[in-house]
Amino acid sequence: MKTTFEEMISPREDLSVSRKEELRKLLLERMPIILGNLTVILDAALEKHRHVSTATPPPSPTRDGDSRDSVSLFSTSPLHSDDALSKMFTSLHKDSLESLPLLDSDSQTTCLMALECLAHLFSWIPLSAMITSNLLSSIFHFASFGSEPTLKSSKGTELGVIAMTCINEIIAKNCVPADFEEFLLQMFHQTFQLLQRLTRENANSASGSMLAELDTSYIEKFTDFLQLFVSIHLRRFEDSTRFPVIDFLALLFKYTFKQPSNEGFYNCLEIWTVFLDYLNVLVKNRSVETHTVLDRYKEALATLVTQMLRKLQFRYNQSQLEELDDETLDDDAETEWQQFLRRCLETIAKVAELAPDDTFALVVGYVGGARELAL
């Protein structure tokens, strides 16, 4: 099937243009059936092995202690005032990313090939008219395989990476299906669940972070997804009561500061930059009053700046800072230390554009505290 798709997109040179268009049209007419069959293949593999799964299902996001820790980073979270998130997860219970079954070798190979077909198709078919909630849910289930270190030896990483490739194709194409609001709600919900998986603590890791145990390629794919999700879809749900953005930011905060590499950390800072730029545009265009933005995000922004300042100080981040090279210059004539410093300060400066007084007070407070400690 994959070979057929590839041949249809890059047919022989001796075919006429009209014949190429005819073949493409015929294939697109049958695409709903093809996508339906691929969905059945993926769902059947999950269902076949679900009964042998011995893993404990992840607790509800509104009851998970680790989730509460992440959300309590920002006390303005809707969870402190109502059960908006609980209602959201209840309404989408059928799409929950439950415990992951262990697939046998044949199922792994079949699912990998099915996901590769989807990734290829998603690169050229009109997704808005063809993507379904069932297919999206199935792909997210396989994306979560990459978030489990215990599945690395059973092609879990490969399944997770190719599934995230499919999801990124959907996001990058700005897919807008007919039931767009429900589609976006489902994607937000499943993104939230994946973030919970990725940011949970891991007692078996020296760093205590689950991310440190995962494959780098999967983390990169997931970070790419978050950047696409925030840059393309944030404006569509940021002011909606159905989407608890503060809770999402709390998990993004944990994901950012649990990154096992500097490059991963920098990529996450770019996501925050996209978000901060969006808020700045809202204010500058007078789409909303400045105080409205600050009232909603004040604590989240202050927490971000505080943690950035801690990352720059040896008393809070000595082990990482000591590993930074402060002698060798890269292609941009920067040392590792200079790049680290610049990236952190640029993020703080972005926040200062929105909340200059509060940011100045935090910076002065930390600089003053550092001086007192030195004395």
Side-chain angles (χ1 to χ4, degrees), residues 233-250:
H233 289 303
L234 178 68
R235 59 186 171 82
R236 293 188 167 116
F237 62 76
E238 188 267 333
D239 61 349
S240 172
T241 56
R242 298 189 69 189
F243 299 94
V245 177
I246 299 296
D247 304 292
F248 170 74
L249 292 178

Side-chain angles (χ1 to χ4, degrees), residues 285-300:
N285 291 345
R286 299 187 182 277
S287 300
V288 295
E289 296 295 332
T290 303
H291 68 83
T292 302
V293 174
L294 292 182
D295 288 346
R296 185 176 189 188
Y297 296 110
K298 180 177 181 179
E299 188 167 358

Side-chain angles (χ1 to χ4, degrees), residues 7 26-27 56 76 126 129 133 154 157 224 230 242 245 248 253 291 301 304 319 335 364 369-370:
E7 288 294 327
L26 289 171
L27 183 59
T56 303
T76 51
S133 59
S154 59
T157 295
D224 289 343
V230 171
R242 298 189 69 189
V245 177
F248 170 74
F253 179 93
H291 68 83
L301 298 179
L304 177 62
S319 60
T335 64
V364 169

Side-chain angles (χ1 to χ4, degrees), residues 71-208:
V71 172
S72 65
L73 288 169
F74 313 140
S75 62
T76 51
S77 161
L79 292 185
H80 292 266
S81 57
D82 58 44
D83 60 346
L85 194 62
S86 176
K87 291 177 182 177
M88 183 181 81
F89 281 101
T90 299
S91 66
L92 292 171
H93 177 71
K94 61 183 176 65
D95 295 320
S96 295
L97 302 180
E98 68 270 14
S99 56
L100 302 174
L102 295 173
L103 305 182
D104 60 43
S105 179
D106 289 342
S107 295
Q108 291 168 16
T109 301
T110 300
C111 291
L112 275 172
M113 294 178 67
L115 289 168
E116 287 173 357
C117 286
L118 287 172
H120 178 74
L121 291 173
F122 288 175
S123 68
W124 64 274
I125 67 173
L127 286 175
S128 295
M130 297 183 180
I131 195 72
T132 65
S133 59
N134 286 340
L135 178 55
L136 181 66
S137 180
S138 297
I139 296 172
F140 262 103
H141 273 88
F142 281 95
S144 63
F145 274 70
S147 69
E148 293 292 339
T150 56
L151 299 179
K152 289 177 70 174
S153 60
S154 59
K155 294 189 178 179
T157 295
E158 293 177 70
L159 288 166
V161 169
I162 191 64
M164 285 308 310
T165 300
C166 293
I167 293 170
N168 288 350
E169 284 286 351
I170 296 173
I171 292 289
K173 282 196 166 185
N174 201 1
C175 178
V176 183
D179 56 344
F180 179 68
E181 186 171 357
E182 291 304 316
F183 171 82
L184 192 58
L185 182 62
Q186 179 187 359
M187 182 167 287
F188 185 98
H189 159 67
Q190 290 170 322
T191 301
F192 202 103
Q193 286 196 316
L194 267 178
L195 267 174
Q196 282 188 299
R197 285 182 180 274
L198 292 170
T199 56
R200 67 190 187 275
E201 302 298 327
N202 182 10
N204 297 323
S205 171
S207 65

